[in-house]
Amino acid sequence: MLHAGGTGPLDRLAEERVDHRFKGLPPDAAGLTVGELAGQRRNLFDGGFTTPVLALSAERLEHNLALMEAYAARHGLAFAPHGKTSMAPQLFHRQIEHGAWGITLAVPHQVWVARAFGIRRIFLANELVDPAALRRIAADLAADAGFRFVCHVDSVRGVELMDAALRGAARPVDVVVELAAGEGARTGVRTEAQARAVADAVAGVGTLRLAGVAGYEAQVPGASPERVREWLERLVALAVEFDGAGRFADAGEIVVSAGGSEWFDAVAAVFAAIPDLSLPVLKLLRSGAYVSHDDVHYSRLTPFNRVPEEGALEPAFRLWAQVVSRPTATEAFVNAGKRDAPHDLDLPVARAVRRDGAERPAAGIEVTALSDQHLWLRTAAEADVEVGDWIGFGLSHPCTTFDKWPLIPVAEADGTVVDYIRTFF
């Protein structure tokens, strides 16, 4: 993915110098460019990398990208994976190479990162009311006829603020009315009557264009297959109603969008039944955590568990840390902690132990707590753990894994590091 010597923004990532900004890299690599270090194809385990160090599996990353490309194509879905999961432009482009329509983001800074690296289609899954950000979006739309930008709107007040900031813009900003996933959910209008009022407000200004409807089914309170499907059917019914009322006449296509990483099977099933409308329908799925998947949270909740014939995602992250203390027969501590491992959903899970070049399963080792720079391990009688051992941990929640590591080695199964993923949080 890195190509030193090129002139594009991704190529220039290869020209960054290895230094103190990047955790876990070999000390003797300081001063090399990232491209030069990648070209050396060092081994993660004996090439000078220091612990803690996070690695992405090259094979599992490619598997997950290909699996979701095939899934979206099989179900007739456009795909705009949520880029805030990784904030890694190299992965944005890998996803687009694997058929993604564009990238979903959450806040203006993320949009600027994506634009700096050449992303032409962006779905902002939030209402955008910041005047400075809106003026920047308007300038980008004016300067680049190929730039497509869509964002949520869920209030009349939001329409008023957007209109005030965008007056005089060369192109209208496309918006989709966000329907909340029920009372107690996150953002979005709570009722169809509120959705109509927002759509009326959009129709009353020249700076916005109503392009569709959207929402986030993972926020359905007490989510179950039945409740998620019921909400998705409400979302589709709202699109059908708006189309019948001529609300999308100027849109060119109608965007109907949903999709987290827990219920995209329901999205595929309900979107497959969208009737013919007056314009082509862009059925836009936005699941993002698939790219690295995880060992705990999404591994339990992935739709592929419910529909195994569709395939299976594979956890691609492995955090390697070193045992630095073994104070008792039932305790051990490694030198990774909250600054290195996500802990907002589930604790890391010990998967492997390496000693003297040999790797074995991490039997009898359980993570019980995290300090700033230590994982607390409980060790059973069968746990063979010594100071100096490397332990590999599976992680939960990719969104808060990527943000802790600005440069992530991509390693093949034998440990050969073939690339480095740069993140921007």
Side-chain angles (χ1 to χ4, degrees):
M1 284 183 284
L2 289 174
H3 303 285
T7 59
L10 286 181
D11 299 314
R12 289 194 291 272
L13 289 177
E15 302 304 322
E16 280 197 278
R17 294 286 171 181
V18 175
D19 60 21
H20 60 274
R21 293 170 295 166
F22 305 129
K23 299 189 289 184
L25 301 190
D28 67 348
L32 296 176
T33 67
V34 175
E36 288 169 343
L37 180 58
Q40 292 181 355
R41 295 176 64 87
R42 298 196 188 195
N43 190 278
L44 188 70
F45 304 113
D46 61 17
F49 290 84
T50 62
T51 57
V53 61
L54 179 73
L56 264 173
S57 162
E59 296 88 354
R60 292 184 171 201
L61 175 62
E62 178 59 30
H63 167 84
N64 292 343
L65 289 165
L67 182 68
M68 284 302 291
E69 177 185 18
Y71 183 88
R74 187 161 56 247
H75 291 280
L77 298 169
F79 190 32
H82 215 314
K84 61 90 176 172
T85 300
S86 69
M87 284 309 298
Q90 294 150 282
L91 296 183
F92 294 172
H93 282 274
R94 287 284 298 276
Q95 290 168 310
I96 290 169
E97 290 166 4
H98 279 274
W101 171 91
I103 298 296
T104 296
L105 298 164
V107 294
H109 161 72
Q110 296 169 358
V111 176
W112 314 152
V113 171
R115 291 293 290 155
F117 288 90
I119 301 302
R120 306 293 297 279
R121 291 174 175 166
I122 293 173
F123 186 102
L124 188 74
N126 250 334
E127 185 170 70
L128 180 60
V129 294
D130 182 274
L134 286 163
R135 289 192 292 268
R136 164 70 187 269
I137 293 295
D140 276 13
L141 289 168
D144 183 356
F147 177 36
R148 180 82 193 276
F149 177 83
V150 182
C151 73
H152 284 179
V153 64
D154 75 351
S155 65
V156 173
R157 173 64 172 162
V159 171
E160 293 170 348
L161 292 170
M162 295 177 79
D163 177 58
L166 291 168
R167 285 173 195 163
R171 290 171 58 187
V173 170
D174 284 345
V175 295
V176 290
V177 174
E178 183 189 7
L179 179 67
E183 290 297 331
R186 203 161 59 188
T187 54
V189 297
R190 266 40 181 177
T191 68
E192 281 72 5
Q194 292 171 338
R196 295 181 198 111
V198 172
D200 287 342
V202 172
V205 301
T207 55
L208 305 176
R209 180 173 68 170
L210 188 63
V213 297
Y216 180 44
E217 77 289 340
Q219 290 297 311
V220 172
S224 66
E226 295 75 24
R227 288 188 177 186
V228 169
R229 188 180 184 101
E230 179 182 352
W231 175 80
L232 286 164
E233 289 171 347
R234 281 182 63 201
L235 184 70
V236 169
L238 185 63
V240 172
E241 176 194 322
F242 279 9
D243 183 54
R247 294 186 183 275
F248 301 131
D250 299 327
E253 67 180 358
I254 299 168
V255 178
V256 182
S257 181
S261 295
E262 299 176 20
W263 296 101
F264 55 76
D265 55 333
V267 175
V270 173
F271 281 14
I274 294 176
D276 290 339
L277 300 180
S278 64
L279 295 167
V281 178
L282 185 72
K283 303 173 183 179
L284 195 60
L285 182 68
R286 306 195 308 272
S287 311
Y290 82 97
V291 68
S292 62
H293 197 42
D294 76 10
D295 270 78
V296 189
H297 181 77
Y298 289 113
S299 291
R300 292 194 304 258
L301 299 173
T302 174
F304 291 120
N305 292 342
R306 295 188 290 272
V307 194
E309 60 270 23
E310 296 272 19
L313 294 168
E314 297 178 351
F317 272 135
R318 183 63 55 88
L319 175 65
W320 290 96
Q322 198 164 21
V323 178
V324 293
S325 181
R326 186 79 158 103
T328 72
T330 59
E331 295 176 292
F333 295 83
V334 298
N335 62 344
K338 293 179 180 178
R339 293 188 172 94
D340 313 298
H343 53 92
D344 54 323
L345 293 179
D346 297 280
L347 294 176
V349 180
R351 295 299 191 198
V353 178
R354 290 187 64 89
R355 183 189 303 160
D356 299 328
E359 184 172 318
R360 65 181 186 277
I365 303 173
E366 179 188 3
V367 178
T368 60
L370 284 81
S371 298
D372 288 348
Q373 209 60 64
H374 291 99
L375 297 183
W376 297 53
L377 308 184
R378 178 184 296 125
T379 55
E382 69 269 27
D384 178 14
V385 178
E386 295 180 356
V387 169
D389 289 349
W390 282 37
I391 300 182
F393 296 90
L395 302 177
S396 177
H397 201 188
C399 298
T400 51
T401 301
F402 279 102
D403 67 0
K404 299 178 187 302
W405 293 87
L407 193 65
I408 304 171
V410 179
E412 293 180 340
D414 66 357
T416 301
V417 175
V418 296
D419 205 353
Y420 294 84
I421 298 296
R422 183 73 159 93
T423 65
F424 293 86
F425 281 90

